[in-house]
Amino acid sequence: MTDKKEKDILFFNSSEEQENFMEKMFFRPEVCPFCKHSISAECILGYNNKQRYLFGSKDILCKCPRKSCSSLFFAVYDIDEHPYGMTDEEGNVEMVYVLKEVYPKGKAKIDFQSEIHEVSPQFIEIYNQAYHAEQEKLDLICGGAYRKALEYLIKDFVSYLQPDETERIQAMPLQQCVRNFIDQPDIKDMAERAIWLGNDETHYVRKWESKDIKDLKNLIDLTVFYISMNIKAKKYREEMAR
């Protein structure tokens, strides 16, 4: 029993031990999930995870070689067909271990224009929480979070334009807020469509079946862009009034 357990986890004390353990394992992590730089990962130990899936898997504890990062993460290898179609003596495609994922995922953040930071910092916080959920493959809930971020963005922007109406704006349905307070065609058109797709993410039946999270994020990005440009233009008009 002791020998078996020792073989399940192997610290790589030499390149030979690493090569022997990873002989039938294909592909290596090429990007650190934390710092997002291209790397040649340092492999520290191997683990025969016999509890995972029918045939088990092999996990490799890796380290980012960049001194400014040095993060630890796991690379997971599952049984799959040989990626280059190599066959065994009987002509069957050889089964090997192929890299499937790395974890934990680094929580990369999306940055936004300074105008958005100024007008709607909560939008940025909520958007990045939604983005983190998406990175963790929580695709059934991140859409609703993106929809919430959009509401903060639009209502904060409208309150910025109409500060005396803030209380009314905050209580108003989002679609009505856009129709009543936003006159700029580009912002209005993109915001309305983003609302449509955002609502789809919170309803049982989807209206826009050909659209998905990617389209929702694109429309939010366009809304952010036009809002940012509007705020920037407004500042220049005020600073350089004739």
Side-chain angles (χ1 to χ4, degrees):
M1 291 293 291
T2 302
D3 290 342
K4 183 178 180 181
K5 288 184 178 179
E6 288 177 349
K7 292 178 181 178
D8 286 345
I9 299 178
L10 176 65
F11 284 90
F12 301 138
N13 295 313
S14 67
S15 58
E16 183 180 359
E17 286 183 342
Q18 177 181 328
E19 290 171 4
N20 289 338
F21 187 90
M22 303 181 70
E23 182 181 4
K24 295 289 185 179
M25 299 168 66
F26 285 82
F27 310 123
R28 305 289 183 263
E30 296 181 345
V31 176
C32 173
F34 291 93
C35 69
K36 307 302 180 184
H37 281 79
S38 297
I39 61 170
S40 177
E42 297 177 7
C43 299
I44 298 174
L45 65 81
Y47 170 47
N48 286 306
N49 189 349
K50 297 178 181 178
Q51 304 301 316
R52 186 183 175 97
Y53 306 130
L54 181 62
F55 298 103
S57 69
K58 289 181 180 287
D59 296 359
I60 303 296
L61 177 62
C62 302
K63 179 181 178 181
C64 176
R66 300 181 70 250
K67 290 183 179 180
S68 60
C69 181
S70 299
S71 297
L72 298 176
F73 59 92
F74 281 95
V76 178
Y77 292 77
D78 293 335
I79 285 287
D80 204 343
E81 293 184 350
H82 196 294
Y84 304 120
M86 299 296 291
T87 57
D88 57 24
E89 295 178 354
E90 298 178 356
N92 299 314
V93 176
E94 186 179 358
M95 302 303 291
V96 294
Y97 288 93
V98 178
L99 178 64
K100 294 300 181 180
E101 64 172 328
V102 296
Y103 72 91
K105 305 291 185 184
K107 289 181 171 59
K109 288 187 176 182
I110 303 298
D111 198 12
F112 291 91
Q113 299 92 328
S114 59
E115 293 79 17
I116 304 301
H117 279 273
E118 179 184 342
V119 170
S120 188
Q122 284 187 291
F123 157 73
I124 296 173
E125 184 174 352
I126 298 169
Y127 187 98
N128 274 304
Q129 288 187 15
Y131 183 55
H132 294 163
E134 185 182 8
Q135 290 178 83
E136 294 295 337
K137 301 181 180 179
L138 301 176
D139 55 304
L140 297 180
I141 64 172
C142 64
Y146 282 125
R147 165 62 174 77
K148 182 175 182 178
L150 176 68
E151 179 153 355
Y152 273 78
L153 171 68
I154 291 173
K155 289 189 174 182
D156 285 347
F157 171 63
V158 174
S159 295
Y160 164 80
L161 297 177
Q162 305 281 346
D164 294 338
E165 298 281 357
T166 296
E167 189 172 339
R168 181 184 169 206
I169 289 165
Q170 290 176 348
M172 188 177 292
L174 186 57
Q175 189 79 53
Q176 186 178 341
C177 180
V178 171
R179 290 174 179 170
N180 290 355
F181 288 101
I182 295 181
D183 297 324
Q184 301 86 348
D186 288 333
I187 299 175
K188 192 168 189 173
D189 289 347
M190 296 304 101
E192 283 186 330
R193 284 157 178 77
I195 293 169
W196 298 343
L197 296 192
N199 289 343
D200 265 4
E201 296 298 327
T202 63
H203 294 163
Y204 194 93
V205 177
R206 299 182 69 92
K207 181 177 180 180
W208 302 90
E209 295 182 357
S210 63
K211 305 299 181 183
D212 56 19
I213 287 288
K214 184 178 179 181
D215 296 294
L216 172 58
K217 290 170 64 180
N218 284 340
L219 287 168
I220 292 176
D221 287 347
L222 286 166
T223 304
V224 166
F225 172 77
Y226 288 125
I227 286 177
S228 175
M229 292 300 100
N230 180 271
I231 294 171
K232 188 176 293 188
K234 182 175 183 293
K235 287 182 179 179
Y236 275 112
R237 291 190 188 101
E238 292 173 350
E239 292 172 359
M240 303 177 67
R242 293 180 179 177

